Amino acid sequence: MLDLFTLAFSPDLSIASEAEKLTLQSREDRLILDHPQPGLRTALEQLKQGNLTLAQLTELVSEQDGGEAGITFASELEKLVGLGWICHSVLPLVTAIPIAKDYEFNVPDSSWQTTAIALSRFAFLHQDQQQLVLESPRSKSKLVILDWRVGAVIAKLAQSDRKFIFDTSADSLLADLSLELEELKRLFALLIATQMIDLEPEDETITQWKFHNLLFHHYTRLGRLDNSRKLNLPVFEHRDRYPYVKPVMSDQAIPLIKPDLTALAKNDMSLTEAIETRRSIREYSDQPITLAQLGEFLYRCARVKAVYTLPEDPMQIGESTTRPYPAGGALYELEIYSIVHQCGDLAAGLYHYQPLSHTLHPVADWTPEVESLIYDAWRATGQQSIPQTVLIITARFGRLFWKYHDIAYSLILKHVGVLYQTFYLVATAMHLAPSAIGAGNTTKFCQIAGLNPYKEASVGEFSLGAAKPQQQS
């Protein structure tokens, strides 16, 4: 086991030597060694090079510092493995780089060679910084593929459907790929140790997960050592392309009513009552929602309350806003569009809400394509009543991605959630009929609205209408 892999320090680890001290520094941790012995110094230097196995490193320490020092070195190195400081390689094929602080690298015993194995259905290949990388949300490593033959092995495993047994199937790979048997064994051992290969069928806690769900969950939570948010303080270089409010989408502006907040503070439904009586309502009054009601609703939920600039602005954000709902970094990437089917005297069609001027701006007339969005909302909400209006929530991704990197899209969905709740509570207080919608057609909406879906796209939908009299109590 000691000679299966060559070992090296993680790429982001640095070593500094000063007088009688050695300092090992990663992004999160620091280890200071006082008066390290010559053998230990040499072993650490070799770990920077990444050419020796654990057995070779231990022998090097033992030769210079004594046998007991060699034993201590091996056990202490395991602690560095746990910190995510040690990479394992099968050279010249592949290197496993830790991406979690509580790193585990469990080398299997030889019994795996007679066991039916399979590539994990969560393993995936992608290109990253001119390298081919194998990752999995179940692994605490990412594997940098150094040789095309590793890709061929992975492709073979992907086709095996738990029918691959190393002892009986390895010969075909050896012949096709010009690999040595021991080299192939070490490659498979690395794939098993990093959980890219499953030795046993998944249990029920794993089978419930779809690939994209587990990937999204894993990669948007804390704990990754290579999380890009831990680098230098970000700067909003493209704020001119993503201003604090989106420019108007048409010259025609439909002014909306501004309710008297002082009067509402005295006479409005209490927060407790709104929370306790809130429910999704998908049946509507014969008298549709009015433009005045829609205007009051949007004002209370989503208007720009104030524009300000921070006295010190190291990230160069520029103008920021406050609104009735919260947003990470006060960046407010969400936009609201209203698909109007029935709304007083307002012509049916698609409108964009401008939260600074509190106005609606026509985007598209009532067409079969716009009507199909209403139909999609009707189908997604149980096919009860045709929605009178559907609010489409979009995100201008560039407002957020520059700062929040790996967690940015998950943050957008959290913002959609708090906006949904704001919609619900205000609609309940206004005795309207609200309902969140669980699905929507981003491609279709972006085509209708003329949006570049990689710059701005729909991320949520919400139906709103006038409630029947019996629903208002």
Side-chain angles (χ1 to χ4, degrees):
M1 293 299 180
L2 296 182
D3 282 320
L4 283 177
F5 313 107
T6 55
L7 307 183
F9 279 132
S10 181
D12 71 332
L13 191 80
S14 63
I15 302 179
S17 178
E18 183 179 354
E20 295 299 318
K21 292 183 178 180
L22 276 181
T23 302
L24 280 63
Q25 178 76 57
S26 69
R27 292 180 187 175
E28 294 190 341
D29 297 294
R30 175 186 296 174
L31 176 63
I32 299 175
L33 302 174
D34 287 316
H35 300 92
Q37 293 180 294
L40 177 59
R41 276 183 175 272
T42 304
L44 295 178
E45 288 297 326
Q46 288 296 324
L47 281 168
K48 287 176 61 178
Q49 304 302 319
N51 295 320
L52 300 182
T53 65
L54 176 58
Q56 291 169 328
L57 290 166
T58 302
E59 182 180 357
L60 190 155
V61 173
S62 298
E63 287 177 352
Q64 297 188 45
D65 302 338
E68 187 175 340
I71 296 172
T72 300
F73 171 78
S75 62
E76 292 298 315
L77 192 66
E78 282 301 309
K79 297 178 183 178
L80 300 188
V81 171
L83 288 173
W85 285 10
I86 303 297
C87 301
H88 295 76
S89 297
V90 177
L91 296 177
L93 300 176
V94 62
T95 294
I97 300 176
I99 57 172
K101 192 171 181 178
D102 54 340
Y103 186 62
E104 297 174 0
F105 189 87
N106 299 314
V107 181
D109 61 42
S110 60
S111 62
W112 67 266
Q113 297 175 34
T114 57
T115 302
I117 60 177
L119 184 71
S120 169
R121 66 185 176 93
F122 295 101
F124 66 100
L125 284 165
H126 68 109
Q127 186 271 347
D128 183 30
Q129 297 181 353
Q130 292 77 55
Q131 294 178 320
L132 186 62
V133 177
L134 179 67
E135 294 195 61
S136 165
R138 296 194 64 198
S139 176
K140 295 182 178 181
S141 308
K142 63 179 180 183
L143 273 57
V144 177
I145 309 302
L146 306 173
D147 190 298
W148 65 269
R149 292 174 293 180
V150 178
V153 171
I154 292 167
K156 181 69 173 179
L157 285 170
Q159 299 166 5
S160 67
D161 191 27
R162 299 205 69 83
K163 297 176 182 177
F164 191 97
I165 298 175
F166 188 89
D167 272 2
T168 58
S169 305
D171 287 347
S172 61
L173 286 175
L174 294 172
D176 294 341
L177 302 177
S178 299
L179 288 170
E180 298 294 332
L181 178 60
E182 289 305 313
E183 196 174 28
L184 191 61
K185 283 183 180 179
R186 290 189 290 123
L187 172 59
F188 271 73
L190 184 74
L191 293 171
I192 294 169
T194 55
Q195 293 186 283
M196 301 299 176
I197 285 179
D198 291 333
L199 293 180
E200 298 178 356
E202 296 173 355
D203 64 40
E204 61 182 13
T205 63
I206 301 299
T207 56
Q208 66 182 335
W209 284 92
K210 294 291 187 181
F211 165 77
H212 60 279
N213 286 335
L214 188 59
L215 182 69
F216 181 73
H217 170 68
H218 180 75
Y219 282 78
T220 57
R221 305 301 298 171
L222 297 178
R224 284 180 61 100
L225 294 175
D226 62 342
N227 193 319
S228 57
R229 294 186 304 114
K230 297 175 182 177
L231 300 177
N232 297 330
L233 184 73
V235 173
F236 196 5
E237 296 178 351
H238 303 296
R239 68 181 186 186
D240 291 340
R241 276 194 280 166
Y242 299 96
Y244 66 95
V245 290
K246 182 177 179 175
V248 296
M249 296 186 68
S250 65
D251 293 334
Q252 183 183 351
I254 301 168
L256 298 173
I257 189 173
K258 295 181 179 180
D260 184 342
L261 295 181
T262 302
L264 285 174
K266 295 178 181 179
N267 305 317
D268 207 16
M269 180 185 292
S270 72
L271 176 62
T272 298
E273 185 179 356
I275 290 173
E276 294 301 319
T277 59
R278 179 219 61 80
R279 59 195 180 99
S280 296
I281 302 174
R282 304 180 185 94
E283 294 181 333
Y284 309 102
S285 169
D286 294 335
Q287 295 297 317
I289 187 172
T290 66
L291 181 58
Q293 287 174 315
L294 180 60
E296 178 181 335
F297 175 85
L298 290 171
Y299 187 87
R300 294 175 67 172
C301 291
R303 77 188 186 281
V304 170
K305 297 166 64 177
V307 180
Y308 66 93
T309 302
L310 294 171
E312 295 184 4
D313 190 11
M315 290 185 284
Q316 301 178 24
I317 295 172
E319 296 89 351
S320 297
T321 64
T322 59
R323 308 189 191 192
Y325 64 96
L331 292 172
Y332 288 101
E333 79 289 355
L334 300 183
E335 299 289 327
I336 298 173
Y337 295 76
S338 180
I339 306 172
V340 172
H341 177 223
Q342 294 176 303
C343 180
D345 296 330
L346 186 61
L350 174 64
Y351 297 83
H352 174 247
Y353 175 61
Q354 223 294 343
L356 185 62
S357 59
H358 187 54
T359 51
L360 287 177
H361 296 260
V363 175
D365 295 331
W366 187 257
T367 63
E369 291 76 20
V370 172
E371 184 178 9
S372 71
L373 294 173
I374 291 285
Y375 176 69
D376 290 344
W378 170 71
R379 287 198 307 170
T381 52
Q383 303 181 16
Q384 291 176 265
S385 296
I386 301 295
Q388 295 175 352
T389 65
V390 174
L391 301 176
I392 305 289
I393 303 168
T394 69
R396 292 186 294 147
F397 303 115
R399 280 290 295 175
L400 213 61
F401 283 4
W402 66 273
K403 181 177 181 181
Y404 290 104
H405 302 288
D406 300 353
I407 67 166
Y409 195 81
S410 68
L411 187 57
I412 287 171
L413 298 184
K414 290 166 184 162
H415 292 163
V416 172
V418 297
L419 188 55
Y420 275 0
Q421 181 69 339
T422 304
F423 282 174
Y424 265 119
L425 296 181
V426 171
T428 301
M430 293 178 62
H431 304 288
L432 297 173
S435 178
I437 300 173
N441 191 321
T442 294
T443 300
K444 184 190 297 185
F445 176 78
C446 288
Q447 289 173 345
I448 294 170
L451 302 177
N452 178 340
Y454 299 105
K455 183 177 182 181
E456 178 184 353
S458 55
V459 291
E461 292 80 20
F462 196 95
S463 64
L464 186 69
K468 295 180 177 180
Q470 65 267 28
Q471 295 170 333
Q472 298 179 7
S473 58

